Amino acid sequence: YSGMEMNAVHVSSLRKPSSEFPKSMFLAVGLVLLIFILPALAISWVIPSQELSLTAGVMQAFEAFFANFGLSKLVPVVAVALVCASAGGMLTWLAGPSKGLLLIARREGYLPPFFQQENEHGIPVHILVTQGAVTTVIALLYALVPSVSSAYWILSVMTTQVYLVVYLLMFVAAVRLRRDQPDVPRGYKAPALRFMCVMGFVASAAAVLIGFVPPSQFESGNTAAYAGLILAGTVLLGLLPPWLFLRRRKPSWAQTPEALAAQDGATAPAPATAGAGEPTGSASRAAPEPVGTDGSGASGGHVWMYWLAAVAVFALLVIGLVKFTGEKKNQESVAKAQQLTQKLEQKGLTVPASQETFIKAFGTDGGAVCENPASALGKATLFGQLTNGAGFVGVRPIIVDRRVLEGETAVLETYCPEKVGKYRETIQHLETEGTIKT
């Protein structure tokens, strides 16, 4: 679901839409399959499933690939390139829905005249500003929800579910139009339309069902709560707005074809004249001026909107950087806690019931254990702990179980592998034995 339907707004810019647009769509299908499937397979081969982030999977893969070839410095370059690519895609998404909404709002009267205004460049500024405000409010979930991955995944699934509802309706509408209006001239006539619509409907319906299944990386394991949240969001975002449009529409908000033609820069049909060229009717009606292009100027009168948007973007950028840094550290600490648990279990050592113990104690860098385990203080602390526990003159060294030292070695291997060598030199002369029987 890469948003290929957004390209429909550019059909009018083609020289031969009936032949060029289908070719471009078939070319896009091949590109989408290559771009979406092959990188996903590459990521799944490089990153273990338990360590894969729902939001940073792509960057994890680049980091792993570049680290393997000693090119880790290229990771920020790729990150900047991805941001630029996302910005380019966002521009398409901003233009497509706003133009489509403006067109249908003018014809059917779904929006009041305030939202139908355009600036001198033909941009529906009020729709875009409203769209930005609503999106900003929704984006605050990233700051309010404890897990960025969970918030990102929930919003992505909700968006996809809303799209799928529209896809289902479009497949049904296409079959019905072919049946009820087969002779209407159209820009392109798809062969085997019924078969393609049935396949598309079944695939979209299956995707709707899959959307209610939480991924393994989703932090909340309650499937019912997850499905309920997705359903509520789909209804709120996908069904409530269209219902409100239908309920609140007014015929007076719709614009006549002459007004639409005038706004598009076309010449309105000349009124019929009688006698000496006087217009018929009680009064002549001049072609209306384009909405929003009066002396006040939509763009000039809304400079404050641009400043407000800039401030909001900057604030969200700061919040995003802070949240991303915290989320990255949290994901790294969880991943290392999982690695340490596996190593300890392989050595036959007991592990805590919850990995939160490791996360809080070691974080991402091993904490106090990795500060300087081979220093004089570290040696004294270690040797002081390898005693019988008595006080004063009763203190004496004992033969400890070798797995105790292996446990600390596992911690160092996980959090600070560069310090394992010196630590092994420190403990190599200690006498150990398998004293703890299991």
Side-chain angles (χ1 to χ4, degrees):
Y1 302 98
S2 55
M4 290 173 60
E5 70 281 355
M6 289 295 100
N7 297 312
V9 301
H10 304 296
V11 172
S12 59
S13 302
L14 299 175
R15 290 171 296 184
K16 297 180 180 179
S18 60
S19 60
E20 293 178 345
F21 189 71
K23 292 179 182 178
S24 66
M25 293 300 290
F26 281 113
L27 177 62
V29 168
L31 292 176
V32 166
L33 292 178
L34 292 176
I35 293 173
F36 277 77
I37 294 179
L38 295 182
L41 292 176
I43 292 173
S44 65
W45 287 334
V46 174
I47 309 298
S49 59
Q50 66 271 14
E51 301 177 18
L52 187 60
S53 169
L54 294 175
T55 55
V58 175
M59 293 310 304
Q60 283 180 312
F62 277 113
E63 189 173 11
F65 277 120
F66 288 145
N68 185 59
F69 295 100
L71 300 173
S72 299
K73 293 183 178 180
L74 292 179
V75 175
V77 178
V78 174
V80 173
L82 288 175
V83 170
C84 294
S86 299
M90 182 185 66
L91 294 177
T92 302
W93 282 88
L94 286 175
S98 61
K99 286 183 176 294
L101 183 59
L102 177 65
L103 177 64
I104 193 65
R106 285 178 170 177
R107 289 184 177 179
E108 305 296 335
Y110 285 132
L111 292 177
F114 175 80
F115 289 103
Q116 299 182 26
Q117 293 183 8
E118 294 178 293
N119 63 8
E120 63 272 18
H121 303 293
I123 304 300
V125 288
H126 292 161
I127 291 180
L128 285 176
V129 170
T130 304
Q131 178 179 323
V134 173
T135 305
T136 302
V137 173
I138 296 176
L140 289 177
L141 287 175
Y142 287 105
L144 301 178
V145 176
S147 172
V148 175
S149 294
S150 298
Y152 173 82
W153 183 259
I154 290 173
L155 292 176
S156 299
V157 173
M158 288 180 182
T159 304
T160 304
Q161 297 291 71
V162 172
Y163 260 75
L164 290 171
V165 171
V166 180
Y167 286 150
L168 294 174
L169 295 176
M170 286 195 299
F171 288 129
V172 174
V175 173
R176 184 174 179 179
L177 286 173
R178 176 65 64 86
R179 182 193 64 192
D180 298 343
Q181 304 177 22
D183 300 326
V184 174
R186 306 186 189 279
Y188 176 75
K189 186 174 182 179
L193 178 67
R194 185 182 297 273
F195 171 76
M196 290 192 294
C197 288
V198 170
M199 295 299 296
F201 188 93
V202 172
S204 298
V208 170
L209 298 178
I210 294 174
F212 289 101
V213 180
S216 58
Q217 296 96 332
F218 192 73
E219 294 188 357
S220 176
N222 193 330
T223 303
Y226 173 85
L229 182 61
I230 296 299
L231 180 61
T234 303
V235 172
L236 182 63
L237 298 177
L239 300 181
L240 183 60
W243 181 79
L244 290 175
F245 283 153
L246 290 173
R247 291 284 297 177
R248 305 297 298 178
R249 63 178 295 224
K250 293 182 179 181
S252 60
W253 292 348
Q255 300 190 35
T256 62
E258 292 81 5
L260 294 176
Q263 293 177 18
D264 291 336
T267 303
T273 58
E278 292 294 333
T280 58
S282 57
S284 62
R285 183 176 62 182
E289 295 181 359
V291 178
T293 58
D294 54 5
S296 60
S299 61
H302 298 293
V303 176
W304 64 271
M305 292 184 180
Y306 303 140
W307 282 105
L308 181 62
V311 172
V313 169
F314 179 77
L316 289 176
L317 178 62
V318 173
I319 295 175
L321 289 174
V322 174
K323 294 292 292 184
F324 174 76
T325 302
E327 178 69 11
K328 183 178 180 180
K329 289 185 177 180
N330 181 61
Q331 293 174 354
E332 185 178 356
S333 63
V334 171
K336 289 189 175 181
Q338 293 174 346
Q339 295 176 15
L340 178 59
T341 300
Q342 294 175 357
K343 290 181 180 180
L344 295 178
E345 290 177 345
Q346 292 173 357
K347 297 177 182 295
L349 298 176
T350 303
V351 297
S354 174
Q355 292 184 351
E356 286 293 327
T357 303
F358 288 154
I359 295 174
K360 293 179 179 179
F362 302 126
T364 60
D365 57 2
V369 178
C370 286
E371 283 184 2
N372 198 347
S375 64
L377 179 59
K379 293 179 183 179
T381 304
L382 175 63
F383 296 159
Q385 292 175 345
L386 303 181
T387 64
N388 62 353
F392 297 103
V393 295
V395 175
R396 63 184 184 276
I398 61 174
I399 298 177
V400 300
D401 193 284
R402 65 174 63 94
R403 288 176 297 177
V404 174
L405 300 178
E406 291 176 356
E408 184 166 357
T409 303
V411 175
L412 297 177
E413 290 175 343
T414 303
Y415 293 92
C416 47
E418 71 281 359
K419 299 182 180 180
V420 174
K422 291 186 178 181
Y423 177 74
R424 291 188 185 278
E425 293 177 2
T426 302
I427 65 173
Q428 63 181 349
H429 301 298
L430 296 178
E431 184 176 352
T432 60
E433 189 61 62
T435 58
I436 301 177
K437 306 301 181 181
T438 56

